[in-house]
């Protein structure tokens, strides 16, 4: 039996004031203004996502425009609240998990470098929830979760 077509989505968080840096993954290096752009370049060609979803607060529009220009795959913006109260957290998780409707198998590569600090936890929790909830033909698989740790001007 053949496996159904699986989308491979890069999920990222975007913040404000991007800074050009050199990113590393293993022994590979890439210069980029945003971690998810570097991650895309650093992944082997056969492991690269086919499209991306960027979770952004309303203030991150300028960063999203840069991301959309720099990444060579289709990009979708999902606006999320800042997450400063319980209702925001529910709305954030609903916006994230709603991007992956049941019935569509998907692989996720998570870049948790940018954005507000608690966003990384919310995205990772949401991805684990989707993986636990969806089994069989519409399963969600997490290929990896990446965080660019700043060390001087290298990540």
């Amino acid at each position: 039996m053949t496996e159904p077509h699986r989308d491979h989505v890069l999920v990222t968080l975007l913040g404000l004031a991007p800074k050009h840096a050199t990113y590393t993954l293993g022994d590979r290096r890439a210069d980029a203004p945003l971690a998810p752009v570097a991650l895309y370049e650093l992944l082997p060609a056969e492991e690269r996502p086919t499209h991306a979803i960027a979770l952004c607060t309303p203030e991150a529009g300028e960063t999203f425009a840069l991301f959309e220009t720099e990444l060579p795959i289709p990009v979708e913006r999902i606006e999320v609240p800042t997450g400063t109260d319980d209702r925001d957290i529910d709305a954030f998780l609903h916006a994230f998990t709603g991007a992956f409707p049941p019935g569509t198998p998907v692989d996720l590569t998570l870049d948790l470098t940018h954005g507000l600090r608690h966003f990384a936890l919310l995205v990772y929790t949401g991805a684990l929830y989707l993986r636990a909830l969806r089994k069989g033909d519409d399963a969600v698989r997490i290929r990896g979760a990446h965080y660019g740790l700043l060390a001087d001007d290298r990540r």
Side-chain angles (χ1 to χ4, degrees):
M1 182 172 166
T2 62
E3 185 174 280
H5 170 74
R6 300 184 68 81
D7 286 334
H8 181 189
V9 180
L10 170 62
V11 177
T12 193
L13 312 158
L14 296 179
L16 307 175
K19 179 183 175 189
H20 206 89
T22 300
Y23 294 84
T24 60
L25 184 62
D27 61 349
R28 301 181 70 193
R29 299 168 60 97
D31 294 321
L34 295 164
V37 173
L39 178 59
Y40 180 86
E41 293 176 18
L42 291 167
L43 290 171
E46 65 278 3
E47 294 179 28
R48 289 180 179 158
T50 54
H51 61 284
I53 290 176
L55 301 165
C56 308
T57 63
E59 297 80 19
E62 189 174 312
T63 305
F64 177 78
L66 174 64
F67 179 63
E68 189 174 35
T69 301
E70 292 284 328
L71 202 63
I73 56 176
V75 175
E76 176 185 354
R77 177 183 175 158
I78 296 178
E79 195 165 300
V80 294
T82 58
T84 55
D85 67 37
D86 291 347
R87 288 182 308 253
D88 283 354
I89 293 170
D90 289 345
F92 184 103
L93 288 169
H94 182 73
F96 170 60
T97 59
F100 307 101
T104 306
V106 66
D107 287 357
L108 303 177
T109 295
L110 310 175
D111 172 66
L112 307 171
T113 305
H114 301 300
L116 297 169
R117 289 289 156 234
H118 59 287
F119 282 5
L121 177 63
L122 292 175
V123 167
Y124 194 67
T125 300
L128 291 174
Y129 170 77
L130 286 171
R131 186 184 74 182
L133 186 65
R134 305 239 313 255
K135 304 289 185 191
D137 288 345
D138 74 339
V140 172
R141 295 190 302 212
I142 300 171
R143 288 194 183 191
H146 302 270
Y147 178 81
L149 176 64
L150 183 62
D152 300 319
D153 281 338
R154 288 183 12 172
R155 290 184 186 241

